[in-house]
Amino acid sequence: MRIDIITVVPELLASPFEHSIIKRAKEKGLVEIHLHNLRDYTKTKYRQVDDYQFGGGAGMVLQIEPIDKCISKLKEQRDYDEIIYVTPDAPILTQSTSNKLSLQKNIIILTGHYKGVDQRVRELFITQEISIGDYVLSGGELAAAVLCDSIIRLIPGAIGDETSALTDSFQDGLLAPPVYTRPAEYKGMKVPEILRSGNFPKIEEWRHEQAIKRTKKIRPDLL
Ligand code: 6GU
């Protein structure tokens, strides 16, 4: 899979992909991530990529021309399955969306900044819009990092234990059950006996019950 990310702050995206599962997925050749600085696609003095909004109002808007140049250049080089714009005024990311995106070959992620991008960019180029939740971030870069992480860990081979991603929260529409490790007792708090019983069908049953209990309590909207 190849992910191209377009941003005005590439520095914000340098570190998130250099550790842990994503780093290993890159090393294994499962994913390539390419960062594109939008300012490289403008010839204006001071490499300006934003301007005041028509109609007035606070906040700058990213202009269409540099975005057009960058996306058009990428599209000349290969076909893209999705061109995604991350923005708070969009449908919220779910595990189902990440699952689908993890099966794609080439995607572009455009990140906004300031007040966002000129509406015509969204109409001309964008095939999917994604928000990562009902709150506002200073820019789309951290949202893009979250989106990439959720996708990349699902690429077959990215996680050592193949079953691990399948038992994540949300993968079966439920929150994950509680987990424990050694010691079996800490300051009087014991690990549930069932988990030490070796009875795997019973353990699976217990985990499922716990997942339902947790979901009912914390996220009843998911049931
Ligand atoms: Cl994708 N961008 C920004 N700036 N804020 C957000 C978001 C995205 N998703 C939730 N909040």
Side-chain angles (χ1 to χ4, degrees), residues 85-90 92 110 112-114 130-144:
Y85 175 47
V86 281
T87 178
D89 55 332
I92 290 176
L110 172 65
H113 229 84
Y114 321 113
I130 295 175
S131 162
I132 64 161
D134 287 338
Y135 44 82
V136 176
L137 304 170
S138 310
E141 285 76 16
L142 297 180

